[in-house]
Amino acid sequence: MTAYPQVKMLIGGEWVTDGGDGTMAVTNPATEAVLGQCPKASAEQLDAALAAADEGFKTWSNTPGIERYNILRRGAEILRERAPQIADIITAEMGKPRAQALPEVVVSGDVIDFLAEEAKRQGGRLVPPRHHGLLSQQVLHMPVGPAVLLTPWNFPVNLAARKLGGALAAGCSVILKPAEDTPASAQMLVEALVDGGLPKGVINLVYGDPGPVSEHLIASPITRKISFTGSTAIGKHLGALAAQDMKRFTPELGGHAPVIISETADFERSLAACVAGKFRNAGQVCVSPTRFLVARGVYDKFVSEFAARAAQIKVGDAGADESVEMGPLAHERRVPAMAHALGDLGGSKGEIVTGGAAIDGSGFFYQPTVVANPSMDSRLMTEEPFGPIAGIVPYDTIEDAVETANALRYGLAAYAFTSSLDESHYLGQNLRAGMVAINHLAVSSPETPFGGVGDSGFGSESGEEGYLGYTETKLVTVGKAG
Ligand code: NAD
């Protein structure tokens, strides 16, 4: 097991262990043991990071795309080399099994690679002039400026890599503020990029109380772009702050993904995918499948087999036992959040088929939980539970299922399992979500855009869109001199 590192901030190229605003403890959610202390940046340290990012932008935005690519590509390689150690730290900080933490780090390298390559490809475009006197019309993608990146704890390396990859490839300097629950995982990503050769000041790393830190960074005139992954409520708050100074803002927020299981679907394949997908990362995934809408003809069988498999999942301290399939919730506050999600089922016809309780002992463990037939207006079916809970209801027609799926304000991911080509086309066209996956649940890849609509946010990360999100469009048009 990798030793927990000293948690450090990076300000203007210097690693800083002393937080001007004190420290906070980092806890292992499986054991409740304190892993280390995380420094909290003072206002002066935040200002120093902003000044460094301002300077860093001047050099980095003028660095040729191919050089940015070379540096980021080296950083991605170093990240992949260190993946085993980083995976250990992810497991210690937020509890997911190593079998999930390791691919998270490796694919983060691939995300950075893809975005770095865009620095070689995104040359803008030439638009043919419409008048004789007009010589050229160039459409340029200019780096937007120093970017503030606010990332959460559920994928502490991957969600930071998406933002860092896009921003740095496009020529922006950055200040990364990772979640206070998982500071060392994000730090190890930053270390890999620094060791890849990023110049001083281009990447800065700070921690602290998220409210005051984000307000300070967003209000600075140096900041030109904010990217946030987290809850819808905080996303709306940060969006309002960004709007005050017309700053670019990309929110990647909560979801409440519906899954439609058609009677024509391959039952065994869809069941296996849904159980694995639901309990991955203890359901703490913004695209976690959560509202299962199952054709009435296969509903009873689906509920009983889903619940039987959920009850078999091995829950425990993944850092101590490699055979554990589901770790704890990432923080103490998430345990009452599960009770809250199930709190109003009493008045509905919903039945907890398996689970429904915290697991006694140390650590923040919760049973894999399956609820059959909850009311569509229950909390479980309307508010994102962000945990290992599935609600399953029957449907009669595919049109009804789509209407139910589209009924919430969230619109991140939506899934369906069917072997009907007609249904597949209808679902792809009519499910209201930023990402629709038919017959599988994998909506996140380095090459494709990831993002939502409605209360799930706007804009995309990864893919070409993940690079363009850190640019602004400029027209340069040249006419004849005489
Ligand atoms: P929370 O709202 O306290 O924190 C969620 C994340 O937002 C954390 O990373 C936190 O550091 C950050 N945050 C909180 N207040 C902030 C502020 N004022 N400025 C900047 N960042 C701030 O909730 P929690 O208990 O940690 O997580 C549960 C909720 O968060 C879930 O309901 C889920 O919707 C959301 N969440 C979403 C994602 C995602 O991938 N979209 C990831 C983690 C958490």
Side-chain angles (χ1 to χ4, degrees), residues 46 74 102 106 118 133 151 161 164 173-174 183 205 259 302 318 326 382 399 409 423 431 441 479:
L46 294 177
R74 271 199 303 274
L102 194 60
V106 173
E118 289 298 290
T151 58
L164 288 169
S173 56
V174 300
L205 172 69
V259 190
F302 188 86
M326 190 180 103
T382 53
E399 290 79 11
R409 294 173 62 125
E423 275 185 356
L431 284 168
L441 299 174

PDB file of all heavy atoms in Angstrom, residues 46 74 102 106 118 133 151 161 164 173-174 183 205 259 302 318 326 382 399 409 423 431 441 479:
ATOM      1  N   LEU A  46      -4.326  32.688  -2.130  1.00  0.00           N
ATOM      2  CA  LEU A  46      -5.170  32.635  -3.341  1.00  0.00           C
ATOM      3  C   LEU A  46      -4.763  33.745  -4.310  1.00  0.00           C
ATOM      4  O   LEU A  46      -4.696  33.524  -5.529  1.00  0.00           O
ATOM      5  CB  LEU A  46      -6.653  32.781  -2.962  1.00  0.00           C
ATOM      6  CG  LEU A  46      -7.247  31.644  -2.132  1.00  0.00           C
ATOM      7  CD1 LEU A  46      -8.700  31.953  -1.773  1.00  0.00           C
ATOM      8  CD2 LEU A  46      -7.169  30.309  -2.865  1.00  0.00           C
ATOM      9  N   ARG A  74       3.800  14.050 -22.212  1.00  0.00           N
ATOM     10  CA  ARG A  74       4.757  13.481 -21.240  1.00  0.00           C
ATOM     11  C   ARG A  74       4.098  13.355 -19.868  1.00  0.00           C
ATOM     12  O   ARG A  74       4.256  12.352 -19.176  1.00  0.00           O
ATOM     13  CB  ARG A  74       5.998  14.389 -21.117  1.00  0.00           C
ATOM     14  CG  ARG A  74       7.099  14.055 -22.100  1.00  0.00           C
ATOM     15  CD  ARG A  74       8.442  14.623 -21.656  1.00  0.00           C
ATOM     16  NE  ARG A  74       8.435  16.057 -21.451  1.00  0.00           N
ATOM     17  CZ  ARG A  74       8.634  16.953 -22.416  1.00  0.00           C
ATOM     18  NH1 ARG A  74       8.856  16.569 -23.650  1.00  0.00           N
ATOM     19  NH2 ARG A  74       8.609  18.241 -22.132  1.00  0.00           N
ATOM     20  N   LEU A 102      -7.827   2.138 -10.423  1.00  0.00           N
ATOM     21  CA  LEU A 102      -6.713   2.013 -11.372  1.00  0.00           C
ATOM     22  C   LEU A 102      -7.122   2.433 -12.795  1.00  0.00           C
ATOM     23  O   LEU A 102      -6.462   3.283 -13.409  1.00  0.00           O
ATOM     24  CB  LEU A 102      -6.179   0.575 -11.332  1.00  0.00           C
ATOM     25  CG  LEU A 102      -4.843   0.320 -11.985  1.00  0.00           C
ATOM     26  CD1 LEU A 102      -3.725   1.144 -11.352  1.00  0.00           C
ATOM     27  CD2 LEU A 102      -4.489  -1.171 -11.889  1.00  0.00           C
ATOM     28  N   VAL A 106      -5.672   5.507 -15.377  1.00  0.00           N
ATOM     29  CA  VAL A 106      -5.151   5.218 -16.726  1.00  0.00           C
ATOM     30  C   VAL A 106      -5.956   5.989 -17.778  1.00  0.00           C
ATOM     31  O   VAL A 106      -5.395   6.633 -18.670  1.00  0.00           O
ATOM     32  CB  VAL A 106      -5.184   3.696 -16.995  1.00  0.00           C
ATOM     33  CG1 VAL A 106      -4.824   3.387 -18.439  1.00  0.00           C
ATOM     34  CG2 VAL A 106      -4.222   2.982 -16.037  1.00  0.00           C
ATOM     35  N   GLU A 118      -5.601  17.810 -29.580  1.00  0.00           N
ATOM     36  CA  GLU A 118      -6.426  18.868 -30.178  1.00  0.00           C
ATOM     37  C   GLU A 118      -5.613  20.151 -30.360  1.00  0.00           C
ATOM     38  O   GLU A 118      -5.907  20.962 -31.232  1.00  0.00           O
ATOM     39  CB  GLU A 118      -7.670  19.153 -29.322  1.00  0.00           C
ATOM     40  CG  GLU A 118      -8.701  18.054 -29.350  1.00  0.00           C
ATOM     41  CD  GLU A 118      -9.267  17.822 -30.738  1.00  0.00           C
ATOM     42  OE1 GLU A 118     -10.003  18.687 -31.233  1.00  0.00           O
ATOM     43  OE2 GLU A 118      -8.954  16.770 -31.336  1.00  0.00           O
ATOM     44  N   GLY A 133     -12.839  42.991 -52.450  1.00  0.00           N
ATOM     45  CA  GLY A 133     -11.818  43.708 -51.664  1.00  0.00           C
ATOM     46  C   GLY A 133     -11.412  43.003 -50.381  1.00  0.00           C
ATOM     47  O   GLY A 133     -10.520  43.465 -49.671  1.00  0.00           O
ATOM     48  N   THR A 151     -13.297  20.805  -8.627  1.00  0.00           N
ATOM     49  CA  THR A 151     -13.592  19.394  -8.919  1.00  0.00           C
ATOM     50  C   THR A 151     -14.008  18.629  -7.662  1.00  0.00           C
ATOM     51  O   THR A 151     -13.583  18.961  -6.560  1.00  0.00           O
ATOM     52  CB  THR A 151     -12.364  18.716  -9.567  1.00  0.00           C
ATOM     53  OG1 THR A 151     -11.253  18.832  -8.683  1.00  0.00           O
ATOM     54  CG2 THR A 151     -12.029  19.347 -10.893  1.00  0.00           C
ATOM     55  N   ALA A 161      -8.741  15.671 -14.519  1.00  0.00           N
ATOM     56  CA  ALA A 161      -7.991  15.493 -15.777  1.00  0.00           C
ATOM     57  C   ALA A 161      -8.766  16.061 -16.973  1.00  0.00           C
ATOM     58  O   ALA A 161      -8.186  16.665 -17.878  1.00  0.00           O
ATOM     59  CB  ALA A 161      -7.696  14.014 -16.009  1.00  0.00           C
ATOM     60  N   LEU A 164      -8.336  19.893 -16.610  1.00  0.00           N
ATOM     61  CA  LEU A 164      -6.941  20.308 -16.832  1.00  0.00           C
ATOM     62  C   LEU A 164      -6.539  20.067 -18.279  1.00  0.00           C
ATOM     63  O   LEU A 164      -5.882  20.916 -18.898  1.00  0.00           O
ATOM     64  CB  LEU A 164      -6.012  19.509 -15.904  1.00  0.00           C
ATOM     65  CG  LEU A 164      -6.072  19.874 -14.416  1.00  0.00           C
ATOM     66  CD1 LEU A 164      -5.321  18.838 -13.585  1.00  0.00           C
ATOM     67  CD2 LEU A 164      -5.494  21.261 -14.170  1.00  0.00           C
ATOM     68  N   SER A 173      -3.906  29.029 -18.518  1.00  0.00           N
ATOM     69  CA  SER A 173      -3.299  28.670 -17.238  1.00  0.00           C
ATOM     70  C   SER A 173      -4.446  28.325 -16.292  1.00  0.00           C
ATOM     71  O   SER A 173      -5.603  28.674 -16.562  1.00  0.00           O
ATOM     72  CB  SER A 173      -2.477  29.827 -16.686  1.00  0.00           C
ATOM     73  OG  SER A 173      -3.301  30.975 -16.578  1.00  0.00           O
ATOM     74  N   VAL A 174      -4.137  27.630 -15.177  1.00  0.00           N
ATOM     75  CA  VAL A 174      -5.229  27.140 -14.335  1.00  0.00           C
ATOM     76  C   VAL A 174      -4.923  27.284 -12.846  1.00  0.00           C
ATOM     77  O   VAL A 174      -3.766  27.261 -12.424  1.00  0.00           O
ATOM     78  CB  VAL A 174      -5.539  25.647 -14.609  1.00  0.00           C
ATOM     79  CG1 VAL A 174      -5.943  25.415 -16.050  1.00  0.00           C
ATOM     80  CG2 VAL A 174      -4.369  24.762 -14.242  1.00  0.00           C
ATOM     81  N   PRO A 183      -7.764  15.480  -1.484  1.00  0.00           N
ATOM     82  CA  PRO A 183      -6.760  16.411  -2.020  1.00  0.00           C
ATOM     83  C   PRO A 183      -5.527  15.724  -2.604  1.00  0.00           C
ATOM     84  O   PRO A 183      -4.970  16.180  -3.601  1.00  0.00           O
ATOM     85  CB  PRO A 183      -6.372  17.254  -0.790  1.00  0.00           C
ATOM     86  CG  PRO A 183      -6.678  16.386   0.390  1.00  0.00           C
ATOM     87  CD  PRO A 183      -7.877  15.572  -0.013  1.00  0.00           C
ATOM     88  N   LEU A 205      -2.384  24.879  -7.617  1.00  0.00           N
ATOM     89  CA  LEU A 205      -3.248  23.956  -6.884  1.00  0.00           C
ATOM     90  C   LEU A 205      -3.480  24.531  -5.492  1.00  0.00           C
ATOM     91  O   LEU A 205      -2.515  24.824  -4.777  1.00  0.00           O
ATOM     92  CB  LEU A 205      -2.534  22.600  -6.781  1.00  0.00           C
ATOM     93  CG  LEU A 205      -3.152  21.529  -5.896  1.00  0.00           C
ATOM     94  CD1 LEU A 205      -4.459  21.026  -6.507  1.00  0.00           C
ATOM     95  CD2 LEU A 205      -2.174  20.348  -5.757  1.00  0.00           C
ATOM     96  N   VAL A 259     -33.313   4.417 -16.858  1.00  0.00           N
ATOM     97  CA  VAL A 259     -32.905   3.253 -17.665  1.00  0.00           C
ATOM     98  C   VAL A 259     -34.193   2.563 -18.095  1.00  0.00           C
ATOM     99  O   VAL A 259     -34.971   2.121 -17.248  1.00  0.00           O
ATOM    100  CB  VAL A 259     -32.098   2.226 -16.849  1.00  0.00           C
ATOM    101  CG1 VAL A 259     -31.498   1.176 -17.781  1.00  0.00           C
ATOM    102  CG2 VAL A 259     -31.039   2.884 -16.013  1.00  0.00           C
ATOM    103  N   PHE A 302     -37.317  -8.911 -13.270  1.00  0.00           N
ATOM    104  CA  PHE A 302     -36.201  -7.958 -13.195  1.00  0.00           C
ATOM    105  C   PHE A 302     -35.985  -7.526 -11.746  1.00  0.00           C
ATOM    106  O   PHE A 302     -34.854  -7.519 -11.247  1.00  0.00           O
ATOM    107  CB  PHE A 302     -36.486  -6.738 -14.091  1.00  0.00           C
ATOM    108  CG  PHE A 302     -35.312  -5.799 -14.233  1.00  0.00           C
ATOM    109  CD1 PHE A 302     -34.346  -6.025 -15.218  1.00  0.00           C
ATOM    110  CD2 PHE A 302     -35.149  -4.709 -13.390  1.00  0.00           C
ATOM    111  CE1 PHE A 302     -33.251  -5.168 -15.350  1.00  0.00           C
ATOM    112  CE2 PHE A 302     -34.060  -3.862 -13.510  1.00  0.00           C
ATOM    113  CZ  PHE A 302     -33.106  -4.085 -14.504  1.00  0.00           C
ATOM    114  N   ALA A 318     -12.192  -1.630   0.857  1.00  0.00           N
ATOM    115  CA  ALA A 318     -11.514  -2.097  -0.360  1.00  0.00           C
ATOM    116  C   ALA A 318      -9.996  -1.958  -0.242  1.00  0.00           C
ATOM    117  O   ALA A 318      -9.254  -2.674  -0.913  1.00  0.00           O
ATOM    118  CB  ALA A 318     -12.030  -1.314  -1.558  1.00  0.00           C
ATOM    119  N   MET A 326     -17.836  -3.213  -3.393  1.00  0.00           N
ATOM    120  CA  MET A 326     -18.374  -1.854  -3.162  1.00  0.00           C
ATOM    121  C   MET A 326     -17.825  -1.322  -1.847  1.00  0.00           C
ATOM    122  O   MET A 326     -17.928  -1.991  -0.810  1.00  0.00           O
ATOM    123  CB  MET A 326     -19.905  -1.894  -3.143  1.00  0.00           C
ATOM    124  CG  MET A 326     -20.533  -0.510  -3.162  1.00  0.00           C
ATOM    125  SD  MET A 326     -22.341  -0.559  -3.132  1.00  0.00           S
ATOM    126  CE  MET A 326     -22.653  -0.135  -1.436  1.00  0.00           C
ATOM    127  N   THR A 382     -37.315  11.600  -7.623  1.00  0.00           N
ATOM    128  CA  THR A 382     -37.262  12.987  -8.101  1.00  0.00           C
ATOM    129  C   THR A 382     -35.962  13.715  -7.763  1.00  0.00           C
ATOM    130  O   THR A 382     -35.572  14.650  -8.453  1.00  0.00           O
ATOM    131  CB  THR A 382     -38.430  13.814  -7.514  1.00  0.00           C
ATOM    132  OG1 THR A 382     -38.412  13.668  -6.090  1.00  0.00           O
ATOM    133  CG2 THR A 382     -39.766  13.375  -8.078  1.00  0.00           C
ATOM    134  N   GLU A 399     -43.727   4.895 -25.203  1.00  0.00           N
ATOM    135  CA  GLU A 399     -43.993   6.337 -25.154  1.00  0.00           C
ATOM    136  C   GLU A 399     -44.161   6.789 -23.698  1.00  0.00           C
ATOM    137  O   GLU A 399     -43.663   7.838 -23.296  1.00  0.00           O
ATOM    138  CB  GLU A 399     -45.253   6.697 -25.953  1.00  0.00           C
ATOM    139  CG  GLU A 399     -45.108   6.552 -27.470  1.00  0.00           C
ATOM    140  CD  GLU A 399     -45.221   5.098 -27.955  1.00  0.00           C
ATOM    141  OE1 GLU A 399     -45.623   4.213 -27.162  1.00  0.00           O
ATOM    142  OE2 GLU A 399     -44.890   4.854 -29.128  1.00  0.00           O
ATOM    143  N   ARG A 409     -36.185  17.706 -14.192  1.00  0.00           N
ATOM    144  CA  ARG A 409     -35.408  18.806 -14.784  1.00  0.00           C
ATOM    145  C   ARG A 409     -33.974  18.392 -15.096  1.00  0.00           C
ATOM    146  O   ARG A 409     -33.257  19.079 -15.810  1.00  0.00           O
ATOM    147  CB  ARG A 409     -35.415  20.014 -13.844  1.00  0.00           C
ATOM    148  CG  ARG A 409     -36.808  20.625 -13.703  1.00  0.00           C
ATOM    149  CD  ARG A 409     -36.802  21.691 -12.641  1.00  0.00           C
ATOM    150  NE  ARG A 409     -35.896  22.765 -13.022  1.00  0.00           N
ATOM    151  CZ  ARG A 409     -36.236  24.045 -13.105  1.00  0.00           C
ATOM    152  NH1 ARG A 409     -37.462  24.421 -12.835  1.00  0.00           N
ATOM    153  NH2 ARG A 409     -35.353  24.950 -13.436  1.00  0.00           N
ATOM    154  N   GLU A 423     -37.412   0.951 -31.761  1.00  0.00           N
ATOM    155  CA  GLU A 423     -37.361   1.516 -30.408  1.00  0.00           C
ATOM    156  C   GLU A 423     -36.038   2.245 -30.184  1.00  0.00           C
ATOM    157  O   GLU A 423     -35.999   3.322 -29.597  1.00  0.00           O
ATOM    158  CB  GLU A 423     -37.487   0.391 -29.361  1.00  0.00           C
ATOM    159  CG  GLU A 423     -38.913   0.014 -29.045  1.00  0.00           C
ATOM    160  CD  GLU A 423     -38.989  -1.012 -27.910  1.00  0.00           C
ATOM    161  OE1 GLU A 423     -37.959  -1.491 -27.407  1.00  0.00           O
ATOM    162  OE2 GLU A 423     -40.117  -1.341 -27.545  1.00  0.00           O
ATOM    163  N   LEU A 431     -35.315  10.713 -25.875  1.00  0.00           N
ATOM    164  CA  LEU A 431     -34.881  10.856 -24.482  1.00  0.00           C
ATOM    165  C   LEU A 431     -34.182  12.210 -24.349  1.00  0.00           C
ATOM    166  O   LEU A 431     -33.288  12.542 -25.150  1.00  0.00           O
ATOM    167  CB  LEU A 431     -33.951   9.712 -24.083  1.00  0.00           C
ATOM    168  CG  LEU A 431     -34.669   8.385 -23.814  1.00  0.00           C
ATOM    169  CD1 LEU A 431     -33.674   7.235 -23.721  1.00  0.00           C
ATOM    170  CD2 LEU A 431     -35.512   8.465 -22.537  1.00  0.00           C
ATOM    171  N   LEU A 441     -23.873   1.101 -20.817  1.00  0.00           N
ATOM    172  CA  LEU A 441     -23.962   2.241 -19.893  1.00  0.00           C
ATOM    173  C   LEU A 441     -22.723   3.135 -19.951  1.00  0.00           C
ATOM    174  O   LEU A 441     -22.530   3.976 -19.074  1.00  0.00           O
ATOM    175  CB  LEU A 441     -24.128   1.732 -18.448  1.00  0.00           C
ATOM    176  CG  LEU A 441     -25.375   0.891 -18.139  1.00  0.00           C
ATOM    177  CD1 LEU A 441     -25.321   0.349 -16.705  1.00  0.00           C
ATOM    178  CD2 LEU A 441     -26.645   1.707 -18.294  1.00  0.00           C
ATOM    179  N   GLY A 479      -8.832  43.268 -45.374  1.00  0.00           N
ATOM    180  CA  GLY A 479      -9.190  43.770 -46.692  1.00  0.00           C
ATOM    181  C   GLY A 479      -7.957  44.291 -47.426  1.00  0.00           C
ATOM    182  O   GLY A 479      -6.871  44.389 -46.824  1.00  0.00           O
TER     183      GLY A 479
END
